[in-house]
Amino acid sequence: MTYIAKPPLRHPTLEKNRVGYTRRDYEGKISTLCAGCGHDSISAAIIQACWELDIEPHRVAKLSGIGCSSKTPDYFLGASHGFNTVHGRMPSVLTGANLANRDLLYLGVSGDGDSASIGLGQFAHAMRRGVRMAYIVENNGVYGLTKGQFSATADQGSKSKKGVINSDSPVDLVGIALQLGATYVARGFSGNKQQLVPLVKGAIQHGGAAFIDVISPCVAFNNHPGSTKSYDYVREHNESVSRIDFIAPGEEITADYGPGEVVDVRQHDGTFLRLRRLHADYDATNREQAMAHVQQHQSRGEVVTGLLYVDPLATDLHMALNTSARPLNALGLAQLCPGRPALDKLNASLR
Amino acid sequence: MSAVEPFRGASDLVPGVHGERPVPPRIEAVNDFVIKFANVNGSGSASANELFAKAILRMGVPVSPRNIFPSNIQGLPTWYEVRVSEDGWLGRRGGIDMMVAMNPQTWDADVAELEPGGYLFYDSTRPMPASRFRPDIHVIGMPLTEICNAVYSDPRQRQLFKNIVYVGALSVLLEIDDQVIEKLFGEQYRGKEKLLASNVQALHLGRDFAKEHLQGPLGVRVRRADRVGDGIFIDGNSAAALGCVYGGATVAAWYPITPSSSVAEAFQKYCAKFRVDPATGQNCYAIVQAEDEIASIGMVVGAGWNGARAFTATSGPGISLMTEFIGLAYFAEIPVTIINVQRGGPSTGMPTRTQQADLLACAYASHGDTKHVLLLPEDPHECFEHAACALDLADRLQTPVFVMTDLDIGMNQRLCRPFAWEEGRSYDRGKVMTAEELEAGRDFGRYKDVDGDGIPWRTLPGTHPTRGSYFTRGTTRDPYARYSERGPDYIYNVERLLKKFRTAADLVPQPVIAMAAQPTRLGVIYFGSTSPAMAEALAVLQAEGIHVDAMRLRAFPFPDSVAAFIAAHDQVFVVEQNRDAQMRSLLVNELEVDPARLVKVLHYDGTPITARFITRAITQVVRPTADPKEAQA
């Protein structure tokens, strides 16, 4: 956490997006995470994604739990309201916020300790409930703030900085998200920004619960030989199912993709996800295949990255609840209070 | 279905005749008695018993029924106690004048509970030996099982209609108007003619038998009166839910727990009735049954942060799970409304019995120095009022507000004043800075005490492109919401929160004072569901020459009038339904009064407190020569 604001100086020639903001307008305060922390790369990807999507920063609500990762919302989208909630319970707070005002974009930022241990239940239920949000887990397999204890995503057999071997099986958040009905499931690597930015863009624009597990090495406590969440390990074992471009509607679609290599996925808000298939047989709209694929590669010690599953016609909790199109927090007495005549009638019925 | 056959042993079915014994004196009372139904949980008696109570109410006689039930699905004992009181006393009186003993398992205890001269009504299909009856009561046997077995072939019908048959018989014995009952049936089974006809038939089965074989009326009976006025009959949980509808709650997140679940269920029902936009068919509300209490309060925190009025309803164990979030909401200053329908604790204690034992857990919920606003409704009328008020106060104060009801108010139907809503009443949304105010350059410091009342201004997410955004967190910050670990910033925050709490004392519902007929140095403080028993106890005490000034607390923090009331009396009884005198502890802690002046009157066996208990406890202190054994009753 920091209270050090970045200098407000802006070079006058900085490029502006369609809503009139420069990339720097999407930044936050100066990060106090360790130099080289993967989380800062994720923040940079979020900044770039929001800028490229022409999102007005103040129309985003960014919520997090507790931990290194959960500090990061302070480091991007400085003009947005942020909420650092309690450990592992960001999903419920985000759900409530989303119910109150469906017009904002919701960004949930969490860590592996936050989401896979104390918050596993809330993570799971937010996924099955279909809360419209981009839920990003900055996954380093370790507790950084408390100096290096294993988290629940640490692989069995991996070694901590103190030399302890982890004997527990890891929690695979991607597998859980797929099984519980998340309608956009991806895994990224903080060291691969080219892949991560479009994944974040797709998640933000998705119509339901979007989840991205981002492997994000902890340079202080989990970036050593024996760790399966280190930069070296992930680079060596990265198995990408797809390379994706995110195309907003109305933009020119380039045609330099050969037939059979590309699939356009139309989302219910009209945006498209363009998948470049590296595996000819990988269909990102097939949940069962996605689950099997992830598990097969996992058993080989590979980390599958890319957009693993998407339901292009996803709906969200508001749809399920048939909630007013006008945000609930904007409704007034006229819409909410049945008034005295109704009460008199009710009184009469209770006699 | 077949015709009713003649019954065996019909000659036994007369009051007081079971072997050769002298006829005891009998209780004689019109419109002033207590009847208790001892049933087996799951036998379908609840609706029949409720019908019985409502019929008396429709005859213009106040009633107060109470469910006394186990934490079980079926098979265990359950009771329904109805107090009939033309004088309008709605608290539990203590003692039973008539027992409808339908549960062999509890027979001995049920018989023992009867007042001398009282009436025991039982199913005499298998006649009981004389040794199982007390000599000082009157026994009325009726072969309910035999009657139903003769008429109904379906086992479930045999069981269910047994209850209606005894209501029919009681209507003869107690002189309850059968037309009133049939009218109630008509309302209950509107559009379901088959059900209506079969229920009316069962009613007549009971009535016909009673007229032919039993000697009525009894010494206790009902006579038409005009003492109900415009009162309404409803349970507190439904009333609280309606208060949330009227108070503008749009988000409800909850997790089922007895005795609070019906708050959310009633909210759902009322929202479906009142909150669907007729033009679009869309809901102007969102209700989520969360995965647990932690998630439910989390959703309320999120919705409150984002400007919607939100509430959850729970009970003691739920409060325990919610305390981390309650602390966050207190420190981050987020409106939250929690309806706590209290039950017996600690732990799972007595989940289906009543207590007022979460006061301290709620008043100081969470770690660190916290103080929370508690509202203390006395009946369904105030459950409605306080729920709506809590939503206003939560927004005004930007803090958690608890509505502290209990099982006794929450799950029992209570006769109370009709709900009231002033035309033109508006919602107090508190200090929310608008985009226009921000645009005009108004200084915004999220945690800055601009107005001197301890309450800062807030902005809602999405308000303005460049101004008014801030980061909400549970850690300390400076007045502009910037993270800080500086001691002075922390002190500023916590002192301002204390100032805000003092501001709350003027905004919460104020205590109600009832002065005794004569000047006195005795006072009593009470609150919540104790209210009707207390009102009766005060009248009884006055009739015995013991004058006591009374103050009914309606909220915490305590306004100055509470300290003044205590100061004006030498002895103040504090009547509450918990073991450790939690309200007394709050009074001592917050007002720094001499504990010796606050006399504990504590009732905590899980049943609602009775007027008799209060009267005896106070009499024992004021006139210690009275029989100490009586005070334990």
Side-chain angles (χ1 to χ4, degrees):
Chain A
M1 202 64 63
T2 179
Y3 47 89
I4 307 168
K6 288 186 180 174
L9 292 172
R10 300 279 191 279
H11 195 281
T13 61
L14 279 176
E15 186 187 353
K16 289 184 177 175
N17 61 11
R18 283 194 296 181
V19 286
Y21 293 97
T22 67
R23 192 184 169 284
R24 292 212 54 195
D25 292 322
Y26 293 80
E27 294 176 352
K29 293 191 173 64
I30 290 175
S31 170
T32 56
L33 298 174
C34 309
C37 178
H39 298 359
D40 284 333
S41 305
I42 300 169
S43 294
I46 292 169
I47 288 166
Q48 189 168 332
C50 290
W51 181 69
E52 288 178 3
L53 284 175
D54 303 311
I55 290 167
E56 292 178 289
H58 74 291
R59 301 303 293 171
V60 177
K62 48 185 187 178
L63 296 97
S64 61
I66 295 291
C68 291
S69 57
S70 293
K71 287 168 173 285
T72 62
D74 219 8
Y75 311 146
F76 56 79
L77 296 175
S80 304
H81 276 62
F83 195 163
N84 209 178
T85 63
V86 294
H87 201 197
R89 278 72 192 249
M90 173 275 288
S92 64
V93 180
L94 191 149
T95 301
N98 182 298
L99 291 174
N101 185 357
R102 62 189 298 172
D103 281 355
L104 300 182
L105 291 171
Y106 292 91
L107 201 51
V109 179
S110 183
D112 41 300
D114 201 56
S115 277
S117 290
I118 186 170
L120 187 60
Q122 293 220 339
F123 163 74
H125 288 278
M127 291 299 114
R128 66 177 265 267
R129 212 166 263 133
V131 182
R132 185 174 181 183
M133 62 171 157
Y135 189 129
I136 298 171
V137 165
E138 302 178 349
N139 186 354
N140 57 18
V142 76
Y143 286 81
L145 275 182
T146 50
K147 302 203 183 300
Q149 299 82 4
F150 284 121
S151 86
T153 65
D155 290 315
Q156 198 168 29
S158 66
K159 194 188 281 184
S160 77
K161 195 175 180 185
K162 287 181 180 169
V164 178
I165 304 293
N166 181 34
S167 58
D168 297 342
S169 294
V171 169
D172 177 24
L173 293 172
V174 159
I176 293 170
L178 281 169
Q179 190 180 10
L180 289 176
T183 46
Y184 181 107
V185 181
R187 180 177 278 137
F189 173 44
S190 62
N192 184 355
K193 200 174 168 187
Q194 275 196 322
Q195 183 194 48
L196 187 55
V197 171
L199 285 178
V200 172
K201 288 164 79 174
I204 287 173
Q205 296 288 25
H206 182 63
F211 172 66
I212 312 176
D213 180 39
V214 188
I215 308 297
S216 174
C218 172
V219 290
F221 297 106
N222 210 10
N223 195 35
H224 48 267
S227 161
T228 56
K229 297 280 191 294
S230 66
Y231 279 111
D232 288 345
Y233 184 90
V234 178
R235 285 197 180 108
E236 285 164 18
H237 295 80
N238 189 352
E239 169 70 16
S240 181
V241 296
S242 57
R243 207 179 84 214
I244 66 168
D245 296 326
F246 184 85
I247 302 169
E251 283 190 359
E252 185 184 357
I253 299 172
T254 55
D256 58 339
Y257 303 102
E261 290 182 311
V262 172
V263 58
D264 281 340
V265 180
R266 182 188 171 87
Q267 304 209 81
H268 90 297
D269 65 349
T271 57
F272 287 86
L273 278 169
R274 167 158 295 179
L275 309 180
R276 184 190 301 272
R277 290 192 183 177
L278 296 183
H279 296 270
D281 57 345
Y282 193 83
D283 176 4
T285 63
N286 184 326
R287 189 186 290 275
E288 290 75 21
Q289 184 183 336
M291 292 170 77
H293 191 88
V294 169
Q295 287 189 351
Q296 283 161 12
H297 286 267
Q298 198 163 288
S299 66
R300 288 184 225 148
E302 292 176 357
V303 182
V304 181
T305 63
L307 179 61
L308 302 167
Y309 172 72
V310 63
D311 173 0
L313 300 173
T315 57
D316 77 336
L317 180 60
H318 280 287
M319 186 77 84
L321 296 176
N322 187 30
T323 324
S324 154
R326 193 172 159 199
L328 292 176
N329 72 351
L331 301 178
L333 196 107
Q335 295 87 28
L336 301 179
C337 183
R340 189 161 162 183
L343 198 60
D344 291 342
K345 208 172 156 190
L346 201 67
N347 279 327
S349 74
L350 295 170
R351 292 183 179 123
Chain B
M1 211 173 275
S2 62
V4 181
E5 299 296 325
F7 296 97
R8 288 178 290 104
S11 60
D12 289 343
L13 310 172
V14 291
V17 180
H18 268 277
E20 291 301 318
R21 61 176 193 171
V23 177
R26 62 183 203 169
I27 294 173
E28 298 280 348
V30 177
N31 289 353
D32 184 12
F33 61 91
V34 179
I35 181 169
K36 191 169 183 176
F37 300 81
N39 294 104
V40 178
N41 208 16
S43 62
S45 59
S47 58
N49 296 343
E50 189 183 316
L51 174 84
F52 172 86
K54 272 191 174 170
I56 298 175
L57 193 74
R58 286 284 177 94
M59 289 177 70
V61 182
V63 293
S64 56
R66 283 178 170 81
N67 287 292
I68 301 163
F69 59 102
S71 178
N72 194 266
I73 307 300
Q74 64 176 4
L76 284 181
T78 181
W79 292 270
Y80 188 73
E81 184 181 302
V82 183
R83 181 170 188 191
V84 180
S85 168
E86 187 169 334
D87 290 337
W89 300 124
L90 302 178
R92 278 186 83 212
R93 185 198 68 185
I96 304 298
D97 300 315
M98 182 170 187
M99 180 69 71
V100 179
M102 300 295 292
N103 186 351
Q105 285 183 327
T106 58
W107 176 271
D108 291 338
D110 293 336
V111 171
E113 209 176 348
L114 273 165
E115 300 277 292
Y119 305 87
L120 177 71
F121 180 97
Y122 83 112
D123 182 354
S124 63
T125 302
R126 288 184 184 171
M128 303 284 269
S131 60
R132 303 297 300 275
F133 302 102
R134 274 167 47 192
D136 60 341
I137 59 171
H138 302 272
V139 179
I140 308 140
M142 177 171 172
L144 292 163
T145 304
E146 192 173 338
I147 293 171
C148 288
N149 287 354
V151 177
Y152 303 104
S153 53
D154 176 60
R156 186 64 183 153
Q157 280 190 329
R158 285 177 171 176
Q159 176 56 52
L160 284 176
F161 284 120
K162 204 188 293 182
N163 306 308
I164 302 297
V165 172
Y166 74 60
V167 169
L170 291 175
S171 70
V172 171
L173 295 172
L174 300 172
E175 297 193 321
I176 298 170
D177 191 336
D178 59 331
Q179 296 303 311
V180 168
I181 301 177
E182 289 194 29
K183 190 160 182 282
L184 282 166
F185 274 142
E187 292 170 17
Q188 191 175 341
Y189 299 113
R190 191 169 293 141
K192 300 171 184 167
E193 300 309 324
K194 208 172 167 187
L195 276 174
L196 174 62
S198 55
N199 274 279
V200 170
Q201 187 207 18
L203 182 76
H204 283 284
L205 274 177
R207 287 189 62 84
D208 294 346
F209 182 90
K211 280 179 188 166
E212 193 178 339
H213 300 288
L214 306 179
Q215 291 177 1
L218 305 180
V220 291
R221 57 189 186 275
V222 183
R223 186 175 58 206
R224 274 194 179 275
D226 188 15
R227 302 300 300 270
V228 172
D230 65 350
I232 59 170
F233 194 58
I234 189 171
D235 63 277
N237 282 357
S238 298
L242 191 67
C244 289
V245 172
Y246 271 74
T250 51
V251 176
W254 66 295
Y255 186 72
I257 180 171
T258 302
S260 75
S261 299
S262 57
V263 175
E265 288 162 351
F267 185 70
Q268 172 81 60
K269 183 186 78 177
Y270 288 127
C271 281
K273 185 180 170 78
F274 294 122
R275 285 277 195 77
V276 180
D277 185 335
T280 62
Q282 292 174 332
N283 300 327
C284 296
Y285 62 92
I287 302 170
V288 177
Q289 183 184 318
E291 59 268 32
D292 53 37
E293 285 91 344
I294 301 172
S296 60
I297 187 76
M299 289 177 201
V300 172
V301 166
W305 173 73
N306 213 359
R309 293 196 152 188
F311 78 95
T312 187
T314 190
S315 192
I319 296 290
S320 300
L321 289 168
M322 291 177 182
T323 49
E324 186 187 23
F325 259 130
I326 291 166
L328 174 72
Y330 172 78
F331 200 53
E333 302 185 60
I334 295 164
V336 167
T337 294
I338 300 163
I339 295 167
N340 179 9
V341 189
Q342 296 168 89
R343 65 188 209 182
S347 186
T348 6
M350 291 195 290
T352 59
R353 311 297 160 120
T354 197
Q355 274 188 355
Q356 298 172 313
D358 297 344
L359 295 173
L360 292 173
C362 292
Y364 302 126
S366 190
H367 49 273
D369 295 322
T370 51
K371 288 179 197 280
H372 304 295
V373 176
L374 314 180
L375 306 186
L376 307 164
E378 65 167 344
D379 64 2
H381 175 90
E382 279 197 348
C383 285
F384 173 84
E385 279 292 328
H386 286 196
C389 174
L391 292 160
D392 270 348
L393 282 172
D395 264 357
R396 166 56 50 184
L397 297 164
Q398 296 170 34
T399 200
V401 176
F402 293 80
V403 181
M404 302 290 285
T405 79
D406 58 30
L407 182 146
D408 187 24
I409 319 174
M411 289 190 71
N412 292 316
Q413 290 183 305
R414 193 74 76 80
L415 185 62
C416 63
R417 289 169 290 159
F419 301 132
W421 189 262
E422 272 180 50
E423 291 286 16
R425 176 172 164 172
S426 59
Y427 296 150
D428 182 354
R429 294 279 188 173
K431 300 180 183 181
V432 180
M433 209 174 276
T434 62
E436 292 72 28
E437 288 168 319
L438 290 164
E439 189 63 34
R442 197 166 161 194
D443 179 38
F444 174 67
R446 171 66 184 99
Y447 296 110
K448 201 173 165 188
D449 187 6
V450 184
D451 307 308
D453 56 4
I455 309 169
W457 285 77
R458 63 176 177 146
T459 56
L460 302 183
T463 297
H464 191 279
T466 55
R467 295 173 189 169
S469 70
Y470 67 95
F471 208 91
T472 304
R473 49 168 70 89
T475 36
T476 308
R477 59 275 152 155
D478 71 6
Y480 288 89
R482 294 173 297 209
Y483 177 79
S484 169
E485 290 182 18
R486 291 179 64 243
D489 284 335
Y490 177 79
I491 297 290
Y492 173 83
N493 267 300
V494 294
E495 288 294 325
R496 185 178 49 73
L497 286 167
L498 208 53
K499 192 199 284 184
K500 181 161 86 170
F501 195 66
R502 285 194 292 272
T503 299
D506 293 331
L507 299 176
V508 296
Q510 301 297 295
V512 176
I513 298 176
M515 300 299 280
Q518 293 180 14
T520 176
R521 302 299 296 169
L522 296 176
V524 63
I525 285 178
Y526 65 102
F527 58 95
S529 66
T530 306
S531 190
M534 190 72 231
E536 184 181 5
L538 287 169
V540 172
L541 288 167
Q542 183 172 306
E544 292 174 4
I546 299 174
H547 296 279
V548 187
D549 293 334
M551 170 175 267
R552 178 166 71 86
L553 300 175
R554 295 205 296 164
F556 174 74
F558 304 121
D560 293 343
S561 57
V562 180
F565 181 84
I566 295 170
H569 297 89
D570 295 334
Q571 272 188 317
V572 177
F573 298 96
V574 183
V575 182
E576 49 189 317
Q577 301 185 62
N578 58 67
R579 184 195 68 180
D580 289 347
Q582 296 190 23
M583 182 58 83
R584 181 175 174 275
S585 295
L586 270 183
L587 290 164
V588 169
N589 195 42
E590 296 291 323
L591 303 178
E592 298 184 2
V593 295
D594 177 5
R597 296 173 61 201
L598 299 179
V599 185
K600 303 172 191 172
V601 177
L602 306 173
H603 184 275
Y604 48 90
D605 68 1
T607 62
I609 195 169
T610 64
R612 279 185 191 178
F613 180 89
I614 299 169
T615 308
R616 284 174 183 170
I618 292 178
T619 305
Q620 198 59 41
V621 174
V622 178
R623 292 177 183 157
T625 51
D627 181 4
K629 283 181 187 164
E630 270 205 340
Q632 300 303 316

